[in-house]
């Protein structure tokens, strides 16, 4: 969660947010719930927000030299030059200033950077690429960046393809043989196979969330059993290909895997219908290593609405269900905060997005979604929700599915760039990531056809001088790591505060018409 206070619309009371969660956020340096005095918290938070805002606007580092006419300034993390009393970006400066920066002035800049590092001031330095750099030059820079900072993808459906196309038999699927997918008849005929281990390495993927997905048709039937089997496939895949993969369930684990040259395998469960309306099942998934739950898929659950409800194409109807989430759904969110499980809002309705953002103490993720303003589908995130992400601290991990990019079956790499830049300009570079959705999409952008192509996306972004190396690292994975660390921090603080597990059970009226497959005790 970011340091900005969040208004809790469930109770329409800021102080309730601080007390209800219980809030562990250090609100702009004024501490958490345990530090507040009754009646004074709102004023403190408003003072803190105003003070910090003024500091951020004025903070800068300036440096000049007697034998240089230019004054260089690092302000708000950007490198500028002062010419004729006007502050402008280095990219727009005169040729003379840029030449000075590339000669002696670099020595002065190095001193500034060292000072900035020592004092904790964030600095974003423009990448040293000449105007009109070739694709080969930009690819080289992109690969260098991805070799020093982890690329984390939020969603891949390979485990379901192993079940669907490979009959769930890992012994019959050669994940370390790229030619197998081009020649083996079942996989070669499919439009859904974009992933193997060789191509993941080629694409510089450092960490992959694998979706333990089971279709909505299993709701009220054997969804939990099938989910456990999908988790089993992911775990066995990771063990069988341990020279490529390592199972990870912490933010530190991702960083350790990256340092050791392994791809971090992380478990996600796609669809709230897969917990079987049971918080006990949710807790057992966590114990098995699951670190993300997508609250719905194409069907609503008795406690949360799917995006399909907005489009009128929902396949599971719960007549008594209101828009958004129910009281039981609020319990699911609180339990996920307590456990330290990432809340994924891809696939949910707009009402559910608003409800969760209002009540979660932890940042959320959209693991594979894009901007609704550019493609008006209910699977994308509307501006009104995007604008709430800075207060929550969450991220949108942009999807590569053509139908989410252009609303038709064709798209290009530049359409992905368009969605990334749209979200960046609307809410800031701290709130974007990548969640391609490979192996769960049958239409990919030209230029991003499979998991080997990620460097081409970063090479394209390098055409734009406003993208700094630090920005590109944020997009690749450091934004996600920040979110994951905050989710873990809240878990740890709640554990110290001895917050007990939720013990809610689903209400009979919430599942009316769906009781036939439930054994009733007592």
């Amino acid at each position: 969660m970011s340091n900005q206070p969040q208004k809790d619309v469930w109770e329409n009371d800021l102080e309730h947010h601080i007390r209800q969660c219980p809030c562990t956020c250090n609100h702009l340096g004024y501490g958490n719930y345990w530090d507040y005095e009754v009646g004074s918290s709102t004023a403190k938070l408003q003072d803190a927000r105003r003070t910090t805002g003024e500091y951020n606007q004025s903070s800068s580092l300036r440096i000049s030299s007697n034998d240089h006419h230019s004054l260089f300034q690092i302000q708000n993390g950007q490198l500028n030059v002062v010419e004729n009393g006007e502050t402008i970006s280095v990219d727009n400066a005169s040729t003379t200033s840029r030449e000075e920066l590339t000669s002696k002035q670099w020595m002065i800049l190095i001193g500034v950077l060292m000072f900035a590092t020592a004092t904790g001031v964030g600095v974003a330095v423009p990448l040293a690429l000449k105007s009109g750099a070739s694709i080969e030059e930009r690819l080289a820079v992109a690969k260098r960046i991805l070799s020093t900072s982890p690329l984390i993808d939020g969603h891949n459906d390979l485990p379901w393809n192993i079940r669907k196309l490979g009959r769930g038999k890992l012994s019959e699927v050669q994940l370390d043989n790229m030619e197998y997918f081009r020649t083996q008849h079942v996989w070669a005929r499919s439009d859904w196979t974009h992933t193997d281990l060789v191509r993941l390495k080629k694409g510089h993927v450092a960490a992959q969330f694998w979706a333990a997905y089971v279709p909505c048709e299993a709701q009220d039937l054997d969804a939990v059993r099938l989910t456990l089997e999908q988790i089993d496939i992911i775990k066995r895949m990771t063990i069988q290909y341990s020279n490529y993969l390592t199972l990870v369930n912490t933010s530190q684990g991702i960083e350790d895997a990256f340092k050791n040259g392994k791809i971090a395998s992380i478990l996600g469960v796609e669809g709230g219908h897969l917990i079987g309306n049971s918080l006990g099942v949710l807790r057992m998934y966590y114990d098995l290593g699951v670190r993300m739950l997508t609250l719905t898929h194409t069907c609503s659950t008795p406690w949360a609405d799917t995006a399909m409800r907005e489009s009128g194409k929902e396949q599971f109807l719960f007549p008594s269900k209101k828009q958004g989430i129910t009281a039981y759904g609020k319990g699911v969110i609180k339990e996920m905060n307590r456990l330290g499980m990432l809340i994924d809002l891809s696939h949910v309705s707009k009402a559910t997005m608003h409800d969760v953002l209002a009540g979660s103490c932890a940042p959320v993720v959209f693991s594979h979604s894009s901007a609704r303003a550019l493609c008006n589908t209910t699977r994308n995130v509307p501006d009104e929700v995007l604008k709430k992400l800075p207060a929550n601290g969450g991220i949108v991990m942009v999807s590569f599915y053509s139908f989410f990019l252009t609303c038709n079956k064709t798209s290009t790499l530049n359409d992905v760039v368009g969605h990334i830049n749209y979200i960046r300009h609307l809410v800031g570079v701290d709130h974007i990531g990548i969640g391609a959705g490979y192996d769960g999409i049958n239409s990919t952008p030209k230029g991003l056809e499979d998991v080997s192509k990620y460097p081409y996306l970063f090479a394209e972004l390098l055409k734009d001088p406003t993208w700094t190396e630090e920005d590109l690292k944020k997009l690749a994975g450091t934004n996600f790591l920040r979110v994951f660390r905050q989710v873990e921090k809240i878990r740890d603080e709640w554990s110290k505060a001895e917050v007990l597990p939720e013990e809610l059970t689903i209400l009979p009226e919430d599942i009316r018409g769906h009781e036939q497959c439930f054994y009733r005790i007592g």
Side-chain angles (χ1 to χ4, degrees):
M1 189 170 196
S2 76
N3 286 338
Q4 291 187 4
Q6 176 186 358
K7 192 172 184 181
D8 185 350
V9 298
W10 287 355
E11 299 292 337
N12 197 30
D13 181 357
L14 176 60
E15 291 184 22
H16 177 78
H17 163 71
I18 297 166
R19 298 179 181 285
Q20 170 70 18
C21 288
C23 178
T24 57
C25 318
N26 184 2
H27 287 280
L28 298 186
Y30 275 83
N32 58 32
Y33 158 63
W34 313 108
D35 302 323
Y36 281 96
E37 296 178 4
V38 177
S40 64
S41 56
T42 304
K44 283 185 178 181
L45 291 173
Q46 290 171 344
D47 287 345
R49 178 164 47 181
R50 182 173 60 252
T51 303
T52 301
E54 291 170 355
Y55 171 79
N56 286 340
Q57 289 173 10
S58 63
S59 61
S60 66
L61 289 171
R62 299 162 68 89
I63 188 163
S64 60
S65 176
N66 291 334
D67 58 344
H68 290 76
H69 85 282
S70 300
L71 173 69
F72 290 94
Q73 180 184 67
I74 300 171
Q75 187 170 28
N76 294 330
Q78 299 296 326
L79 182 64
N80 302 316
V81 61
V82 179
E83 290 187 334
N84 301 319
E86 182 182 2
T87 302
I88 56 179
S89 71
V90 167
D91 295 312
N92 295 325
S94 67
T95 301
T96 303
S97 289
R98 291 198 300 273
E99 287 175 350
E100 286 181 354
L101 185 60
T102 58
S103 57
K104 287 184 180 179
Q105 198 68 39
W106 276 112
M107 298 302 295
I108 302 171
L109 177 59
I110 289 169
V112 173
L113 294 175
M114 292 175 66
F115 176 78
T117 301
T119 56
V121 177
V123 178
V125 180
L127 287 152
L129 272 174
K130 65 183 181 183
S131 178
S134 69
I135 180 62
E136 290 79 12
E137 291 170 316
R138 287 182 280 112
L139 267 175
V141 174
K143 290 176 181 179
R144 177 185 61 76
I145 291 170
L146 297 179
S147 68
T148 59
S149 190
L151 170 60
I152 303 169
D153 184 280
H155 195 87
N156 188 297
D157 281 297
L158 176 64
W160 185 251
N161 270 338
I162 291 173
R163 188 184 195 102
K164 182 177 65 174
L165 300 175
R167 298 176 295 169
K169 296 183 178 181
L170 277 168
S171 60
E172 298 182 6
V173 182
Q174 299 174 29
L175 292 176
D176 56 354
N177 183 356
M178 191 164 60
E179 287 301 314
Y180 169 85
F181 292 92
R182 293 175 177 168
T183 58
Q184 210 278 343
H185 70 283
V186 174
W187 294 84
R189 289 203 308 263
S190 174
D191 293 329
W192 302 72
T193 53
H194 316 114
T195 308
D196 61 62
L197 298 173
V198 176
R199 285 183 287 179
L200 279 171
K201 277 290 187 183
K202 188 177 179 181
H204 288 260
V205 177
Q208 181 65 69
F209 267 91
W210 303 110
Y213 160 76
V214 174
C216 278
E217 287 79 3
Q219 184 164 210
D220 298 342
L221 299 174
D222 55 350
V224 174
R225 176 183 67 83
L226 291 169
T227 304
L228 291 172
E229 291 176 353
Q230 290 307 109
I231 291 171
D232 173 65
I233 285 175
I234 297 167
K235 288 195 167 191
R236 287 191 294 118
M237 175 181 76
T238 303
I239 293 169
Q240 184 170 329
Y241 295 99
S242 58
N243 53 329
Y244 285 90
L245 305 171
T246 183
L247 195 65
V248 162
N249 56 29
T250 64
S251 59
Q252 186 60 50
I254 294 175
E255 296 184 89
D256 292 343
F258 181 63
K259 290 174 185 175
N260 293 327
K262 296 289 184 73
I263 301 170
S265 281
I266 320 168
L267 289 164
V269 167
E270 188 178 21
H273 62 290
L274 303 182
I275 71 170
N277 301 314
S278 168
L279 294 177
V281 170
L282 178 71
R283 287 187 280 270
M284 292 302 98
Y285 286 164
Y286 185 86
D287 285 351
L288 288 171
V290 172
R291 289 300 178 266
M292 182 188 292
L293 174 68
T294 312
L295 297 188
T296 70
H297 194 250
T298 56
C299 53
S300 290
T301 68
W303 46 271
D305 274 338
T306 174
M308 298 296 282
R309 179 164 182 169
E310 290 184 63
S311 63
K313 298 177 182 178
E314 183 180 4
Q315 64 184 107
F316 265 73
L317 294 174
F318 295 88
S320 64
K321 175 77 178 66
K322 296 181 179 179
Q323 296 271 339
I325 62 176
T326 65
Y328 185 83
K330 295 173 188 177
V332 172
I333 300 308
K334 184 176 179 182
E335 187 63 4
M336 291 179 72
N337 284 170
R338 190 192 69 84
L339 288 169
M341 189 180 289
L342 291 150
I343 299 168
D344 177 17
L345 296 183
S346 285
H347 283 288
V348 307
S349 69
K350 183 166 63 175
T352 300
M353 295 176 194
H354 283 296
D355 281 356
V356 174
L357 284 166
S360 176
C361 289
V364 303
V365 301
F366 290 82
S367 69
H368 57 306
S369 295
S370 297
R372 195 177 294 193
L374 300 186
C375 174
N376 188 18
T377 171
T378 57
R379 272 287 283 108
N380 284 341
V381 190
D383 283 3
E384 64 195 82
V385 173
L386 287 173
K387 290 175 181 177
K388 291 187 174 183
L389 283 181
N392 169 267
I395 59 171
V396 176
M397 307 179 85
V398 173
S399 168
F400 292 1
Y401 187 29
S402 293
F403 282 95
F404 299 162
L405 297 170
T406 61
C407 286
N408 63 61
K409 64 182 180 180
T410 61
S411 64
T412 69
L413 181 154
N414 280 315
D415 293 312
V416 177
V417 169
H419 280 263
I420 290 171
N421 276 328
Y422 181 85
I423 297 169
R424 173 180 172 237
H425 292 147
L426 186 69
V427 296
V429 73
D430 292 332
H431 303 287
I432 47 177
I434 295 172
Y438 284 126
D439 271 65
I441 54 179
N442 60 356
S443 176
T444 58
K446 185 177 181 180
L448 292 171
E449 290 84 2
D450 60 49
V451 295
S452 70
K453 302 293 187 180
Y454 292 100
Y456 289 86
L457 172 62
F458 287 84
E460 188 66 25
L461 289 169
L462 283 167
K463 286 183 177 179
D464 182 348
T466 67
W467 277 91
T468 68
E469 181 165 340
E470 192 64 28
D471 290 341
L472 292 171
K473 288 180 178 179
K474 287 181 177 183
L475 171 68
T478 60
N479 280 342
F480 177 83
L481 284 173
R482 169 185 55 78
V483 169
F484 200 177
R485 289 191 198 101
Q486 182 63 16
V487 169
E488 292 170 328
K489 180 175 182 285
I490 288 170
R491 173 203 63 195
D492 294 344
E493 289 177 348
W494 284 27
S495 177
K496 290 178 183 177
E498 298 183 349
V499 177
L500 296 176
E502 285 291 305
E503 293 187 329
L504 290 174
T505 55
I506 199 78
L507 297 174
E509 55 265 32
D510 288 341
I511 56 171
R512 189 170 294 120
H514 298 259
E515 308 99 324
Q516 64 272 19
C517 295
F518 293 88
Y519 174 70
R520 291 293 172 197
I521 300 174

